[in-house]
């Protein structure tokens, strides 16, 4: 196995040679074999162990074992303790998701703080098969059926071409020691049920299951590459990136016979997963929305718009005291006194200071708001103004207004209110400017 491992590194992962590598080590057979293979291959390694404090004395025993092994092999070891249960409860996560997040956040911190290059984990071919089967039993696209990737950013999995049997054989031949995780015997986890009950039956049906699976994964990964290429080509014709938004042209999209497949490719990275609702959204009335954890998908006339959820809530307000010269959040405004009016634009207005009542307020618009638009007689509701100006729901959600004593001074960057404009009787002029 050592020769096969070294050949695999040199042919497929040559960039690991001469780099500073951090090995995730649990104390189990997989990570102990990875550690030994890297050591015998003279790679530049150090190790990191997470004590998630989930199995009491057993977790502490794993830690002590790892410390002893790394001391014997003269390998630098980092150890961290996590209150995983509390973290999971506070963030409403499963224990497994919480542990994974804590683990990789810490690993990345170690890389940054110590100028290391890559994290190596001991996932192997059987793990990839289990992941494939888990995703197969759920609603998954092609990307979920391509197994565990060999590289994901700075995370490298150099054992993915090795089976569990190969790893066990190497461990015994090299008289390695390791720790058994008692949780691996429990069938309360889906992965363990597949490992203990399903995969042995599949291996009975096809003794060459792992070899067949490896070929299948290779074929699926090539198919995924074709899908990615087609998606990028179509994307250029259908999607526009404007500011921090993605606007999908529905007229162009629906000319494609399999437009739902393209939507999946484009929207899945933003955390969307309710594909039935997304397909319905294509033909829904304007204004309908679907939400992922961090993004919103909006149907707006002939477009689907993807944008990050607004950090500011509708009831947030920001006060501006008299004499204040600058506001930096939620947008940047500057205030200064001037002697006369220069060219007025949508980003610059001039107001009569004596008509202002401080503190001024910046807030989002509310139902019932009305103002007296500059250049017009009388008042108009903001909702009517938005409709006349053809504001999308997204445009409205991003609009801020400047108020004085709850009267609108300026729809910021859009339209000034007549009530505060400079007249022949004005003695103090304030220039208010929106900085891009």
């Amino acid at each position: 196995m050592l020769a096969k491992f070294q050949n695999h590194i040199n042919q497929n992962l040559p960039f690991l040679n001469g780099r500073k590598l951090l090995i995730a080590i649990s104390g189990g057979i997989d990570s102990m074999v990875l550690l030994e293979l890297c050591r015998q291959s003279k790679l530049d390694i150090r190790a990191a162990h997470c004590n998630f404090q989930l199995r009491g004395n057993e977790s502490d025993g794993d830690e002590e074992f790892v410390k002893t092994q790394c001391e014997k092999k003269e390998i630098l070891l980092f150890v961290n303790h996590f209150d995983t249960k509390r973290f999971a409860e506070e963030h409403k996560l499963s224990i497994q998701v919480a542990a994974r997040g804590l683990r990789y956040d810490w690993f990345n911190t170690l890389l940054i703080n110590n100028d290391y290059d890559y994290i190596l984990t001991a996932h192997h071919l059987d793990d990839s098969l289990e992941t494939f089967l888990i995703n197969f039993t759920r609603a998954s696209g092609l990307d979920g059926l391509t197994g565990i990737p060999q590289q994901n950013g700075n995370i490298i999995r150099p054992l993915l071409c090795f089976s569990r049997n190969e790893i066990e054989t190497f461990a015994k031949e090299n008289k390695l020691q390791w720790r058994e995780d008692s949780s691996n015997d429990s069938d309360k986890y889906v992965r363990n049920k597949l490992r203990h009950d399903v995969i042995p039956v599949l291996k009975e049906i096809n003794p060459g299951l792992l070899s067949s699976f490896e070929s299948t994964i290779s074929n699926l990964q090539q198919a995924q590459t074709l899908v990615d290429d087609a998606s990028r080509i179509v994307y250029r014709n259908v999607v526009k990136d404007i500011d921090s938004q993605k606007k999908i042209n529905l007229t162009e999209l629906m000319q494609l016979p399999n437009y739902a497949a393209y939507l999946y490719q484009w929207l899945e990275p933003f955390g969307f997963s309710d594909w039935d609702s997304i397909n319905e959204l294509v033909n829904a009335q304007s204004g309908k929305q679907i939400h992922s954890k961090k993004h919103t998908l909006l149907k707006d006339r002939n477009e689907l718009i993807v944008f990050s959820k607004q950090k500011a809530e509708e009831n947030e307000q920001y006060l501006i005291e008299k004499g204040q010269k600058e506001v930096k959040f939620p947008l940047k405004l500057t205030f200064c006194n001037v002697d006369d009016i220069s060219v007025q634009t949508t980003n610059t207005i001039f107001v009569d200071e004596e008509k202002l009542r401080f503190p001024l307020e910046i807030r989002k618009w509310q139902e019932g708001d009305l103002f007296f638009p500059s250049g017009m007689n009388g008042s108009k509701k903001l909702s009517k103004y938005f409709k006349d100006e053809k504001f999308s729901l997204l445009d409205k959600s991003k609009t801020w207004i400047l108020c004085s004593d709850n009267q609108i001074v300026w729809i910021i960057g859009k339209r000034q209110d007549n009530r505060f404009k400079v007249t022949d009787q004005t003695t103090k002029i304030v220039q208010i400017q929106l900085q891009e």
Side-chain angles (χ1 to χ4, degrees), residues 128 131-133 135-136 138-149 213 215-231 260-262 264-265 268 275:
S128 190
T131 298
F132 171 88
L133 292 173
N135 291 335
F136 179 74
R138 300 170 178 169
S140 176
L142 181 59
D143 56 338
L145 301 178
T146 53
I148 300 173
F213 170 69
S215 297
T216 298
I217 286 295
S218 177
N219 294 336
L220 289 173
Q221 288 172 346
Q222 292 179 47
Q224 181 68 59
T225 300
L226 293 176
V227 170
D228 291 341
D229 290 343
S231 177
Y262 290 103
Y264 176 87
Q265 289 295 117
E268 193 272 339
W275 302 112

Side-chain angles (χ1 to χ4, degrees), residues 225-242:
T225 300
L226 293 176
V227 170
D228 291 341
D229 290 343
S231 177
R232 280 191 289 269
I233 293 170
V234 174
Y235 183 96
R236 290 197 290 267
N237 296 324
V238 177
V239 185
K240 290 184 178 179
D241 293 303
I242 301 176

Side-chain angles (χ1 to χ4, degrees), residues 55-84:
R55 293 175 288 115
N57 292 335
E58 189 175 342
S59 292
D60 294 335
D62 291 346
E63 179 184 330
E64 290 306 313
F65 169 77
V66 168
K67 285 180 177 177
T68 300
Q69 292 298 312
C70 286
E71 286 176 5
K72 285 182 180 179
K73 300 175 187 294
E74 297 182 340
I75 295 171
L76 175 65
L77 173 68
F78 298 91
V79 175
N80 203 351
H81 300 84
F82 300 100
D83 190 345
T84 312

Side-chain angles (χ1 to χ4, degrees), residues 70-338:
C70 286
E71 286 176 5
K72 285 182 180 179
K73 300 175 187 294
E74 297 182 340
I75 295 171
L76 175 65
L77 173 68
F78 298 91
V79 175
N80 203 351
H81 300 84
F82 300 100
D83 190 345
T84 312
K85 286 184 179 178
R86 191 170 96 179
F87 181 85
E89 291 170 359
E90 290 176 351
H91 294 82
K92 296 180 173 56
L93 301 171
S94 70
I95 291 294
Q96 289 175 308
V97 171
R100 187 181 303 116
L102 290 168
R103 181 188 196 209
Y104 284 109
D105 283 349
W106 178 52
F107 288 165
N108 280 309
T109 299
L110 287 175
L111 256 63
I112 293 169
N113 291 345
N114 297 282
D115 198 28
Y116 299 154
D117 297 300
Y118 296 101
I119 302 163
L120 271 55
T121 70
H123 295 91
H124 49 73
L125 188 56
D126 291 73
D127 292 325
S128 190
L129 173 60
E130 291 161 9
T131 298
F132 171 88
L133 292 173
I134 289 171
N135 291 335
F136 179 74
T137 61
R138 300 170 178 169
S140 176
L142 181 59
D143 56 338
L145 301 178
T146 53
I148 300 173
Q150 181 170 255
Q151 179 175 1
N152 184 10
N154 58 14
I155 301 170
I156 311 294
R157 303 175 178 97
L159 295 186
L160 280 180
C161 60
F162 297 92
S163 69
R164 182 175 283 115
N165 284 339
E166 288 177 291
I167 289 170
E168 290 174 352
T169 299
F170 179 84
K172 291 173 183 176
E173 289 177 347
N174 287 267
K175 297 182 172 55
L176 299 182
Q177 295 178 295
W178 65 87
R179 295 270 295 180
E180 295 289 351
D181 185 341
S182 62
S183 66
N184 288 335
D185 296 326
S186 171
D187 281 344
K188 72 176 183 177
Y189 300 116
V190 173
R191 186 175 293 274
N192 286 351
K193 287 183 180 179
L194 291 170
R195 183 180 301 168
H196 299 153
D197 302 328
V198 176
I199 292 176
V201 174
L202 294 177
K203 288 182 176 179
E204 284 182 15
I205 296 171
N206 177 13
L209 175 66
L210 286 178
S211 178
S212 298
F213 170 69
E214 201 168 10
S215 297
T216 298
I217 286 295
S218 177
N219 294 336
L220 289 173
Q221 288 172 346
Q222 292 179 47
Q224 181 68 59
T225 300
L226 293 176
V227 170
D228 291 341
D229 290 343
S231 177
R232 280 191 289 269
I233 293 170
V234 174
Y235 183 96
R236 290 197 290 267
N237 296 324
V238 177
V239 185
K240 290 184 178 179
D241 293 303
I242 301 176
D243 297 328
S244 57
Q245 308 166 26
K246 293 188 181 299
K247 295 189 174 183
I248 302 171
N249 186 308
L250 290 177
T251 301
E252 296 291 338
L253 177 72
M254 295 183 71
Q255 291 179 14
L256 304 170
N258 297 309
Y259 67 80
Y262 290 103
L263 283 178
Y264 176 87
Q265 289 295 117
W266 300 332
L267 298 178
E268 193 272 339
F270 295 99
F272 293 102
S273 58
D274 188 352
W275 302 112
D276 289 338
S277 296
I278 289 172
N279 289 333
E280 292 172 4
L281 190 66
V282 170
N283 297 301
Q285 66 184 34
S286 187
K288 292 290 185 181
Q289 302 180 15
I290 294 175
H291 302 278
S292 67
K293 187 175 181 180
K294 296 182 179 180
H295 291 83
T296 295
L297 179 64
L298 167 69
K299 169 68 178 294
D300 184 44
R301 299 182 181 87
N302 194 43
E303 293 179 324
L304 292 181
I305 304 175
V306 184
F307 57 95
S308 296
K309 289 183 177 178
Q310 297 294 312
K311 293 182 179 179
E313 299 295 334
E314 289 183 1
N315 61 355
E316 280 194 288
Q317 59 180 9
Y318 303 88
L319 300 181
I320 304 165
E321 301 297 337
K322 188 170 185 177
Q324 191 170 336
K325 300 298 183 184
E326 185 180 46
V327 173
K328 293 184 178 180
F329 190 83
L331 33 71
K332 188 173 181 180
L333 296 179
T334 57
F335 300 78
C336 66
N337 287 102
V338 295

